[in-house]
Amino acid sequence: MEFVAAPARLSTTDAQFAHDFAQRLHWSADTDAAIEQRVADILADVQKRGDAAVLDYTARFDGLQADSMQALELRKDELKAAFDGLPAEQREALESAARRVRSYHEAQKKANGESWSYRDEDGTLLGQKVTPLDRVGIYVPGGKAAYPSSVLMNAIPAHVAGVEDIIMVVPTPQGVKNPLVLAAAYVAGVHRAFTIGGAQAVAALAYGTATIPKVDKITGPGNAYVASAKKRVFGLVGIDMIAGPSEILVLADGTTPPDWVAMDLFSQAEHDELAQSILLCPDAAYLDAVQREIDRLLPEMPRKAIIAKSLSDRGALILTRDMEEACALSNRIAPEHLEVSSRDPHQWEPLLKHAGAIFLGAYTSESLGDYCAGPNHVLPTSGTARFSSPLGVYDFQKRSSLIEVSEAGAQVLGRTAAVLAYGEGLQGHARAAEMRIKR
Amino acid sequence: MEFVAAPARLSTTDAQFAHDFAQRLHWSADTDAAIEQRVADILADVQKRGDAAVLDYTARFDGLQADSMQALELRKDELKAAFDGLPAEQREALESAARRVRSYHEAQKKANGESWSYRDEDGTLLGQKVTPLDRVGIYVPGGKAAYPSSVLMNAIPAHVAGVEDIIMVVPTPQGVKNPLVLAAAYVAGVHRAFTIGGAQAVAALAYGTATIPKVDKITGPGNAYVASAKKRVFGLVGIDMIAGPSEILVLADGTTPPDWVAMDLFSQAEHDELAQSILLCPDAAYLDAVQREIDRLLPEMPRKAIIAKSLSDRGALILTRDMEEACALSNRIAPEHLEVSSRDPHQWEPLLKHAGAIFLGAYTSESLGDYCAGPNHVLPTSGTARFSSPLGVYDFQKRSSLIEVSEAGAQVLGRTAAVLAYGEGLQGHARAAEMRIKR
């Protein structure tokens, strides 16, 4: 069977561009009411019956029969054995990726994640204490899309933050374990791991069961059931983001070899038929060249069926008036991955306001960032980069304000607070402030 | 009518302490299915009919008839006039509070909110760019509980972050405007303001209407309708936290004047019958003294009915074995407000892991922090301080990872990425990395 990858060819000067462009971008996060109801039922059941419910759902949905939750725990020695059993090349790649991810997140903590305080002129201390969460749950998808790199990207920032208890859950349909995922859990220093998944795993982590400890926050991607369950337990525990389909936007000035860019578009498209790959460039001949490389390279790709569908349904090669316009369009999209494939990426970077990760220059393929450059590959999708950030050490920390008002400070602040408190009709607040004022 | 404030007297050495304590703490965030459905309907209607729906609901729920949304906009000159019309004392208090809140949040941005980057040994650049959100919506409750201080606490961190468009919504039932709230919006530099509220205001901000601009994030407290609406639009826009009833925990070593502590408990209890005030102290005589002050001071309080009910239903004076045990209990509660009313608060502060804000020493009444010490008064409630933080500049910023892989870096990283990508079955990722390797 022959596959054709035919991304839409658009031009910003077309009269109907705004309409065509909006249509390409459209993706609805609307949830399925049937899924919502089933997830609500599963959560309620796990909350009520604990381990027994988790065992039932694991048997039913994952085809994995177990007599007890103990049988679903992955022991440390099993994780280590998985690591030891890998080819040397994979062991080294995992360790090298983990090292770089760790060192990046340590820099992140140092730059933005330390406690701070100061004293004002009255000797009053003000600041914030930054502390790690006690215990977090990491959801790792299993089955078709089992990504060891996701284990590293979730567990390592938690570790760097200082979380003392990292619980991983990963479904293993029919009991089939992915050795790379187990090995990654070993390398990342996950504290406990269970072969459970779906809404039942999210429920177990959020409510706790006799076997699964209740966590403070749940991170990691999952299918529609997992996303719905995370959204429902939000508030009782923290969650990271709700991920939509993955996307890449490439801003090209036409100087990068077109086969490199074609392969970067493939690397996004191969994830999923809903994934989105868009190329913006002011040079029409370059867009033609990239399309030729797409046509030439596609037959070699094992995942060509997915790539062809993703590019044809959701991909686009867009001719822009200039690079400035390409940057402005990018800001409207707020892409998850943004490649600036240009000779001088630093000329354009300051114009880029919203993106999960910005990959600068022709050598920075998104895939290097996905695995081992260091920054996190868990990124805001579907335009949520307008208001959210990559997963990071800060997701595994929280802050407490620190205030120590000096006696002198209480005299000044007490008057201000009392005026405002009386203004709000809160006399208790006012009197508490006034009591600290010397008469 | 005489009111009695009778907080539960518990002791950690009682056999049934764990049970009684758990019962006092219990608070259910379960939402009302009827409210959920009404909110879903309102959101769908505003999404469909825009301004017309907002006008309808404002007439129906707030008793405020208007022909057009323009009539519901508070113009800058109206905000200024409200400020100019206040007594000098209130003007000065608002400005002084705003100054301190601004200077604290500027310190916060400098300490934890700046962009950073470094280059590794191969010349590869890694870092994060921190940028403000473009546009945010601030929900300010109206009616009974109209808090100008909340305007400052939401708008000022957004301003300090660099948000260029701050949209305030505040319901004005029957068209009654609170001059202090309008004045606070003027002082805080809100860009636009509308007299709308409830789920319809949240919907207008999240979806945008012809008049109300679509925002990127919505912050600020509200009633059950507002909380439910915020939770529903989460993902399309960012939200801050979903607030539960307010709480204070006082750890006392018995050296603070007992009337000060009694008034601090009142200042929490007066918010709301569901508010919770708990005192932990290893000195039984001191607990007696505080109860005597509660009895003595209660009749003087204008909000004595609310205070009495809140303290009797949800309050507790708890005798602990020692201050260490009090600190451990505090960590289990993860209180919103935590007063360490002790001669040497710095002895205990390192033991305190989870709290929204920590008030150190007898002079630091919570009410000073509520209004003007500087730190934010929007804090995680109901134990969510285990995983979340005070509202801050970081809530109005987002981060983009920056990666610029050098040619030398691509040689090393390309091999690692390719091994892992082949291991995950993602050949497009592997080939994109390999293409950057020189043969």
Side-chain angles (χ1 to χ4, degrees):
Chain A
M1 180 169 174
E2 206 183 322
F3 294 100
V4 178
R9 262 310 268 277
L10 307 176
S11 168
T12 55
T13 57
D14 290 350
Q16 77 284 11
F17 173 74
H19 170 264
D20 293 348
F21 181 57
Q23 233 179 16
R24 272 281 121 167
L25 287 183
H26 180 75
W27 174 77
S28 167
D30 287 351
T31 41
D32 179 319
I35 291 181
E36 290 289 325
Q37 189 53 54
R38 286 171 69 185
V39 166
D41 294 344
I42 294 170
L43 295 189
D45 194 27
V46 171
Q47 194 170 14
K48 193 170 144 201
R49 296 197 301 131
D51 283 346
V54 176
L55 286 169
D56 284 354
Y57 292 116
T58 302
R60 198 187 317 168
F61 299 139
D62 294 339
L64 175 57
Q65 302 285 346
D67 293 335
S68 72
M69 284 300 291
Q70 281 69 39
L72 298 182
E73 180 156 8
L74 292 163
R75 309 263 161 210
K76 279 254 171 78
D77 52 0
E78 188 173 354
L79 303 182
K80 182 173 188 307
F83 176 76
D84 292 338
L86 293 179
E89 184 183 63
Q90 288 190 339
R91 282 204 309 272
E92 282 154 25
L94 270 183
E95 286 194 316
S96 152
R99 213 162 32 235
R100 287 193 64 101
V101 172
R102 193 173 298 119
S103 112
Y104 175 84
H105 287 85
E106 278 162 0
Q108 184 179 65
K109 182 181 181 186
K110 205 167 159 191
N112 288 156
E114 303 286 357
S115 302
W116 55 275
S117 68
Y118 63 98
R119 285 192 188 269
D120 71 12
E121 61 287 0
D122 284 326
T124 289
L125 176 137
L126 301 162
Q128 259 185 338
K129 162 154 121 164
V130 184
T131 47
L133 274 61
D134 280 346
R135 186 188 288 141
V136 302
I138 287 176
Y139 190 96
V140 177
K144 281 189 298 189
Y147 296 145
S149 54
S150 292
V151 178
L152 304 184
M153 294 294 181
N154 279 275
I156 291 174
H159 237 293
V160 170
V163 176
E164 288 189 356
D165 218 355
I166 302 171
I167 317 286
M168 178 175 105
V169 294
V170 55
T172 55
Q174 278 69 48
V176 180
K177 295 166 189 170
N178 180 319
L180 265 170
V181 166
L182 272 55
Y186 172 73
V187 169
V190 159
H191 298 102
R192 292 181 77 184
F194 296 90
T195 58
I196 60 175
Q200 60 274 19
V202 173
L205 291 168
Y207 306 126
T209 70
T211 309
I212 313 280
K214 177 175 171 13
V215 302
D216 298 311
K217 185 165 186 168
I218 301 172
T219 68
N223 62 19
Y225 289 85
V226 172
S228 166
K230 279 171 67 183
K231 202 164 170 181
R232 277 181 181 269
V233 298
F234 168 58
L236 175 65
V237 298
I239 63 170
D240 57 341
M241 54 201 91
I242 304 292
S246 196
E247 333 126 44
I248 192 172
L249 189 78
V250 182
L251 305 186
D253 66 359
T255 59
T256 304
D259 56 337
W260 294 15
V261 167
M263 195 56 75
D264 291 352
L265 299 175
F266 284 3
S267 75
Q268 197 58 41
E270 72 177 344
H271 273 295
D272 183 346
E273 292 171 354
L274 282 175
Q276 184 156 57
S277 305
I278 294 179
L279 170 62
L280 301 180
C281 178
D283 176 352
Y286 186 77
L287 295 178
D288 293 338
V290 171
Q291 181 65 58
R292 277 195 301 275
E293 293 300 328
I294 288 174
D295 297 338
R296 182 177 70 83
L297 292 164
L298 184 67
E300 303 171 16
M301 305 307 298
R303 297 168 74 90
K304 52 181 168 284
I306 298 173
I307 294 171
K309 183 150 174 63
S310 161
L311 286 181
S312 300
D313 288 0
R314 306 206 69 222
L317 309 183
I318 303 177
L319 182 66
T320 60
R321 288 178 178 83
D322 47 37
M323 284 293 282
E324 285 79 357
E325 188 186 39
C327 292
L329 272 177
S330 172
N331 285 333
R332 278 176 49 197
I333 298 174
E336 181 190 11
H337 304 98
L338 173 53
E339 278 187 13
V340 186
S341 212
S342 135
R343 189 165 280 153
D344 185 14
H346 291 280
Q347 184 181 350
W348 311 116
E349 186 275 312
L351 304 185
L352 300 168
K353 294 199 293 178
H354 313 304
I358 304 177
F359 302 80
L360 300 163
Y363 282 100
T364 316
S365 70
E366 185 216 304
S367 64
L368 300 181
D370 284 343
Y371 290 107
C372 56
N376 212 288
H377 79 193
V378 182
L379 298 169
T381 58
S382 312
T384 58
R386 285 181 296 111
F387 55 83
S388 55
S389 303
L391 191 70
V393 172
Y394 36 80
D395 286 296
F396 299 102
Q397 295 176 319
K398 30 58 177 197
R399 297 150 195 272
S400 303
S401 305
L402 292 176
I403 317 177
E404 181 180 33
V405 177
S406 67
E407 189 177 339
Q411 312 309 305
V412 182
L413 296 179
R415 291 190 174 82
T416 303
V419 169
L420 293 173
Y422 284 123
E424 293 184 353
L426 296 176
Q427 298 84 357
H429 284 69
R431 299 258 330 253
E434 286 172 339
M435 279 174 161
R436 272 80 175 182
I437 299 176
K438 291 202 165 155
R439 269 141 246 281
Chain B
M1 181 168 175
E2 206 183 322
F3 294 99
V4 178
R9 262 310 265 277
L10 307 177
S11 166
T12 56
T13 58
D14 290 349
Q16 75 287 11
F17 173 73
H19 170 263
D20 293 348
F21 181 58
Q23 234 177 17
R24 271 281 119 167
L25 288 183
H26 181 76
W27 175 75
S28 169
D30 287 352
T31 42
D32 181 317
I35 291 182
E36 290 288 324
Q37 188 54 54
R38 286 172 69 186
V39 167
D41 293 344
I42 294 169
L43 295 190
D45 194 26
V46 172
Q47 193 170 14
K48 194 172 143 198
R49 295 197 300 129
D51 283 345
V54 176
L55 286 169
D56 283 354
Y57 291 116
T58 302
R60 197 185 320 167
F61 299 138
D62 293 340
L64 175 56
Q65 302 284 347
D67 293 334
S68 72
M69 285 299 293
Q70 280 70 39
L72 298 181
E73 180 156 8
L74 293 163
R75 310 260 162 213
K76 279 255 169 78
D77 53 0
E78 188 173 354
L79 303 182
K80 182 172 189 308
F83 176 77
D84 291 338
L86 292 180
E89 183 182 67
Q90 288 189 340
R91 282 206 307 272
E92 282 153 24
L94 270 184
E95 286 194 317
S96 152
R99 213 162 32 235
R100 289 193 62 99
V101 172
R102 194 173 298 120
S103 112
Y104 175 83
H105 287 86
E106 277 163 0
Q108 184 179 66
K109 182 182 181 188
K110 204 168 159 191
N112 290 155
E114 301 287 356
S115 301
W116 55 275
S117 67
Y118 63 98
R119 286 193 187 267
D120 71 11
E121 62 286 1
D122 284 326
T124 289
L125 176 138
L126 301 162
Q128 260 184 337
K129 162 154 121 163
V130 184
T131 46
L133 274 60
D134 279 347
R135 185 188 289 141
V136 302
I138 287 176
Y139 190 96
V140 177
K144 281 189 299 187
Y147 295 145
S149 55
S150 293
V151 178
L152 304 185
M153 294 294 181
N154 278 275
I156 291 175
H159 237 293
V160 170
V163 176
E164 289 191 356
D165 216 356
I166 303 173
I167 317 287
M168 179 175 105
V169 294
V170 56
T172 55
Q174 277 68 49
V176 180
K177 295 167 189 172
N178 181 318
L180 264 171
V181 166
L182 271 54
Y186 172 73
V187 169
V190 159
H191 299 102
R192 293 180 76 183
F194 297 90
T195 59
I196 59 174
Q200 60 274 20
V202 173
L205 292 169
Y207 306 125
T209 70
T211 310
I212 313 280
K214 175 175 172 16
V215 303
D216 298 311
K217 186 165 184 168
I218 301 172
T219 69
N223 63 16
Y225 289 85
V226 172
S228 167
K230 278 171 67 183
K231 203 165 167 179
R232 276 181 183 270
V233 298
F234 167 58
L236 175 65
V237 298
I239 62 170
D240 58 340
M241 54 202 90
I242 304 293
S246 197
E247 332 128 43
I248 191 172
L249 188 79
V250 182
L251 305 186
D253 66 359
T255 59
T256 303
D259 56 337
W260 294 15
V261 166
M263 196 55 77
D264 292 351
L265 299 175
F266 284 3
S267 75
Q268 198 59 42
E270 73 178 344
H271 273 295
D272 181 347
E273 292 173 353
L274 282 174
Q276 183 157 57
S277 304
I278 295 179
L279 170 62
L280 302 180
C281 177
D283 177 351
Y286 186 76
L287 294 179
D288 293 339
V290 171
Q291 181 65 58
R292 277 195 303 273
E293 293 299 328
I294 287 173
D295 297 338
R296 182 177 70 81
L297 293 165
L298 184 68
E300 304 172 15
M301 305 306 300
R303 298 168 74 89
K304 53 181 168 282
I306 297 172
I307 294 171
K309 183 149 173 64
S310 161
L311 285 181
S312 300
D313 288 358
R314 305 207 68 222
L317 310 182
I318 303 177
L319 182 67
T320 60
R321 289 177 177 84
D322 47 36
M323 284 293 281
E324 285 81 356
E325 189 186 39
C327 292
L329 272 178
S330 171
N331 286 332
R332 278 174 50 196
I333 298 172
E336 181 190 11
H337 303 99
L338 173 53
E339 277 188 15
V340 186
S341 211
S342 139
R343 189 165 281 152
D344 184 13
H346 291 281
Q347 185 180 350
W348 311 117
E349 185 274 311
L351 303 185
L352 300 168
K353 293 200 294 180
H354 313 304
I358 304 177
F359 302 80
L360 299 163
Y363 282 100
T364 315
S365 71
E366 185 216 303
S367 65
L368 299 182
D370 284 343
Y371 291 107
C372 56
N376 212 288
H377 80 192
V378 182
L379 298 168
T381 57
S382 311
T384 58
R386 285 181 296 109
F387 57 83
S388 53
S389 303
L391 192 69
V393 173
Y394 35 81
D395 286 298
F396 300 102
Q397 295 176 318
K398 32 58 181 195
R399 298 150 195 270
S400 304
S401 305
L402 292 177
I403 317 177
E404 180 180 34
V405 177
S406 67
E407 188 177 338
Q411 312 309 306
V412 181
L413 296 179
R415 291 189 174 83
T416 302
V419 168
L420 294 172
Y422 283 123
E424 292 185 352
L426 295 176
Q427 298 84 359
H429 286 67
R431 297 250 343 244
E434 286 173 338
M435 279 174 160
R436 271 80 174 183
I437 299 177
K438 292 204 163 151
R439 268 144 247 280

